[in-house]
């Protein structure tokens, strides 16, 4: 399929290019030490990951350990309550450890094993990426250092406990504001010192090349499964596909299965409390081109051109940029990016729980909220929503802040 001059039949071969660019976005804006380390990972990825042995091992792990394929569920009662449009969810909440993140963490950790590395390193904010990577490290018998700001350690006690139970070493970062940004800096510094024996595992389609490509490729299992399952269930393609976008990994996973189809694709960003800078984290909707954390993308900037403070009720969507491929698909118009507010999200959280018996993660509730709005607008047809994770982690917070609705 051709769209705005781009041939999507050969899209995955051409994007990113050899230097990691999706159009003008992406690349690797890092110092020479890290550049060397990233080149080593790129080379290893292109050889090891195309080998039958690696692919077969990853396939077996997905089936026997992660519980893939995850099903698609038809949301009959929710659909009926909204009119004639049929809504479906891809159940990444049923992936082991409760979200899509394990899809790329198992891939990254398996790559680490094949490269002969002893340790995986990462940063985490809300702790979700840390837990997924700690799970993968335990499975493969790798050491695992997770860098986390003091403030986040205090806020995310259950995830800190999970990481420690899984055998990870949670490294407290006491610099600056003691949150995600400082944790990223500390983790990258530790990696630059130690890259012979370790590998840095980024938690979304972000960071320097090759990560946006690699994480997309590992997540594409979601889109491949979903397309086939949806065709099996209904005999046709969905009219629309919807996913929430933080860094953008669950979205790239499901979108990649439908980019070459006549399907409308929607990425949903968090509007938080409103349109004022600092009240949301909708980088693609309100941001501009810029470089941060080693890549060029669309980002939210403060008055000094630095990454702006952002807010969302969903800590997993709380990031001032998105992956470079999303910036590319945004400019191209192949994916439409739109927003939903905290309030719409909380409504969707309770609605899905009550009508379908599925408690969604707050992040995923953004996609559900948008799917519900879209269903009313469309009037007929079908919508497939990526339910990126389960909401157990969010229940205490929601009951404390919003009560039972
Ligand atoms: C981390 C997380 C997200 C956001 O990350 P993406 O890279 O944008 O997918 C979404 N949903 C859940 C459940 C998460 O844990």
């Amino acid at each position: 399929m051709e769209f705005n001059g781009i041939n999507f039949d050969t899209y995955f071969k051409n994007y990113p290019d050899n230097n990691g660019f999706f159009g003008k976005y992406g690349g690797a804006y890092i110092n020479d030490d890290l550049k060397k380390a990233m080149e080593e990972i790129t080379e290893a990825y292109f050889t090891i990951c195309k080998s039958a042995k690696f692919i077969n091992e990853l396939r077996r792990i997905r089936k026997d350990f992660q519980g893939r394929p995850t099903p698609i569920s038809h949301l009959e009662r929710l659909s009926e309550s909204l009119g004639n449009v049929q809504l479906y969810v891809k159940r990444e909440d049923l992936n082991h450890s409760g979200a899509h993140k394990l899809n790329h963490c198992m891939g990254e950790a398996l790559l680490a094993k094949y490269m002969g590395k002893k340790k995986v390193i990462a940063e985490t904010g809300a702790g979700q990426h840390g837990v997924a990577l700690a799970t993968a490290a335990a499975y493969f018998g790798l050491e695992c250092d997770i860098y986390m700001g003091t403030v986040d350690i205090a806020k995310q006690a259950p995830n800190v406990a999970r990481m420690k139970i899984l055998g990870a070493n949670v490294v407290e970062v006491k610099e600056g504001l003691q949150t995600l940004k400082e944790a990223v800096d500390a983790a990258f510094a530790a990696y630059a010192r130690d890259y012979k024996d370790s590998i840095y595992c980024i938690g979304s389609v972000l960071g320097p090349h090759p990560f946006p490509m690699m994480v997309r490729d590992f997540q594409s299992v979601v889109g491949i499964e979903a397309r086939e399952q949806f065709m099996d269930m209904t005999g046709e393609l969905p009219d629309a596909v919807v996913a929430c976008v933080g860094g953008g990994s669950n979205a790239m996973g499901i979108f990649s299965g439908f980019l070459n189809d006549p399907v409308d694709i929607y990425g949903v960003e968090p509007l938080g409390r409103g349109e004022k800078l600092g009240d949301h984290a909708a980088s693609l909707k309100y941001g501009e081109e810029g470089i941060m954390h080693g890549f060029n993308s669309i980002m939210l900037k403060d008055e000094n051109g630095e990454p702006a403070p952002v807010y969302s009720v969903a800590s997993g969507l709380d990031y001032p940029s998105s992956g470079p491929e999303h910036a590319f698909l945004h400019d191209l118009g192949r994916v439409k990016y739109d927003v939903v507010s905290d309030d719409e999200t909380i409504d969707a959280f309770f609605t899905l729980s009550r009508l379908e018996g599925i408690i969604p993660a707050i992040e995923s509730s953004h996609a559900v909220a948008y799917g519900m709005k879209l269903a009313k607008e469309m009037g007929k047809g079908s919508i497939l929503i990526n339910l990126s994770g389960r909401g157990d982690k969010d229940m205490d917070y929601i009951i404390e802040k919003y009560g039972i609705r």
Side-chain angles (χ1 to χ4, degrees):
M1 186 182 88
E2 187 153 316
F3 189 93
N4 270 347
I6 302 284
N7 183 354
F8 276 92
D9 297 330
T10 51
Y11 175 79
F12 293 106
K13 245 194 241 150
N14 296 334
Y15 296 95
D17 69 14
N18 289 336
N19 296 315
F21 282 94
F22 303 85
K24 61 181 170 174
Y25 301 112
Y29 298 86
I30 43 182
N31 66 36
D32 287 346
D33 281 347
L34 280 174
K35 226 175 209 149
K36 260 201 298 204
M38 290 299 153
E39 279 163 11
E40 185 193 296
I41 297 175
T42 307
E43 220 180 285
Y45 178 70
F46 275 120
T47 49
I48 295 169
C49 293
K50 306 294 185 250
S51 79
K53 192 158 172 257
F54 182 92
I55 292 168
N56 286 334
E57 191 166 356
L58 194 56
R59 266 198 201 133
R60 183 186 59 73
I61 290 166
R62 283 170 175 165
K63 178 162 173 281
D64 300 346
F65 178 66
Q66 291 181 233
R68 303 203 69 88
T70 58
I72 284 181
S73 302
H74 181 196
L75 307 177
E76 288 185 41
R77 298 187 63 220
L78 181 62
S79 303
E80 198 175 316
S81 79
L82 295 167
N84 290 321
V85 171
Q86 299 307 308
L87 290 125
Y88 298 80
V89 278
K90 174 66 171 163
R91 301 291 304 277
E92 290 306 294
D93 60 317
L94 297 178
N95 197 27
H96 176 50
S97 81
H100 71 288
K101 283 198 177 72
L102 197 65
N103 298 332
H104 60 252
C105 285
M106 292 307 283
E108 288 171 330
L110 183 62
L111 179 66
K113 198 185 101 173
Y114 272 65
M115 289 173 76
K117 306 289 187 187
K118 296 186 184 66
K119 190 197 277 183
V120 289
I121 296 178
E123 83 295 334
T124 196
Q128 294 299 106
H129 176 51
V131 169
L133 192 61
T135 304
Y139 180 90
F140 289 110
L142 296 163
E143 289 172 50
C144 178
D145 286 356
I146 302 292
Y147 290 77
M148 196 168 181
T150 309
V151 169
D152 288 333
I153 288 179
K155 254 166 76 182
Q156 308 291 342
N159 276 342
V160 173
R162 284 171 86 189
M163 285 184 263
K164 288 183 175 165
I165 288 169
L166 290 161
N169 178 26
V170 179
V171 185
E172 182 174 347
V173 179
K174 299 175 181 165
E175 281 82 33
L177 296 175
Q178 307 180 330
T179 61
L180 184 63
K181 184 188 172 302
E182 293 78 19
V184 173
D185 294 341
F188 263 112
Y191 177 54
R193 284 195 298 273
D194 193 19
Y195 77 86
K196 292 253 165 350
D197 284 327
S198 61
I199 186 169
Y200 195 99
C201 294
I202 291 179
S204 188
V205 285
L206 299 170
H209 180 63
F211 280 93
M213 169 187 70
M214 224 164 71
V215 171
R216 172 193 76 189
D217 292 354
F218 289 137
Q219 285 295 344
S220 67
V221 65
V222 176
I224 292 168
E225 285 176 9
R227 189 178 188 281
E228 196 179 314
Q229 290 168 318
F230 196 91
M231 295 286 286
D232 267 358
M233 259 176 122
T234 69
E236 44 195 51
L237 288 165
D239 293 296
V241 170
V242 178
C244 66
V245 178
S249 64
N250 89 86
M252 271 328 301
I254 197 155
F255 293 174
S256 64
F258 298 93
L259 283 173
N260 195 28
D261 289 317
V263 169
D264 292 330
I265 303 180
Y266 297 90
V268 185
E269 296 192 294
L271 182 62
R273 296 180 289 243
E275 291 187 332
K276 211 167 93 229
L277 190 67
D279 280 349
H280 63 80
S283 50
L284 294 161
K285 177 115 177 169
Y286 300 112
E288 53 189 313
E289 187 179 347
I291 293 169
M292 62 179 270
H293 296 163
F295 64 103
N296 186 37
S297 188
I298 297 177
M299 61 187 261
L300 293 165
K301 296 178 185 173
D302 66 13
E303 63 276 13
N304 303 317
E306 296 294 314
V310 287
Y311 162 80
S312 164
V313 66
S315 46
L317 303 181
D318 194 340
Y319 186 70
S321 183
S322 291
E325 190 165 13
H326 285 290
F328 179 64
L329 294 169
H330 168 272
D331 288 6
L332 197 62
R334 177 65 190 94
V335 177
K336 296 186 190 80
Y337 294 88
D338 207 344
V339 294
V340 298
S341 68
D342 280 3
D343 282 345
E344 291 170 312
T345 299
I346 299 301
D347 274 347
F349 172 88
F350 281 108
T351 304
L352 191 71
S353 302
R354 296 280 161 80
L355 291 184
E356 299 291 344
I358 300 170
I359 302 177
I362 311 192
E363 290 81 8
S364 324
S365 302
H366 283 74
V368 175
Y370 194 78
M372 288 165 58
K373 279 209 284 199
L374 194 60
K376 288 188 192 156
E377 273 170 41
M378 282 167 52
K380 63 179 173 53
S382 61
I383 302 174
L384 173 62
I385 300 165
N386 199 20
L387 203 76
S388 53
R390 67 177 184 228
D392 304 46
K393 67 184 178 58
D394 303 313
M395 295 187 303
D396 291 347
Y397 172 80
I398 288 189
I399 288 182
E400 194 188 308
K401 185 152 179 215
Y402 297 92
I404 294 281
R405 284 199 180 169

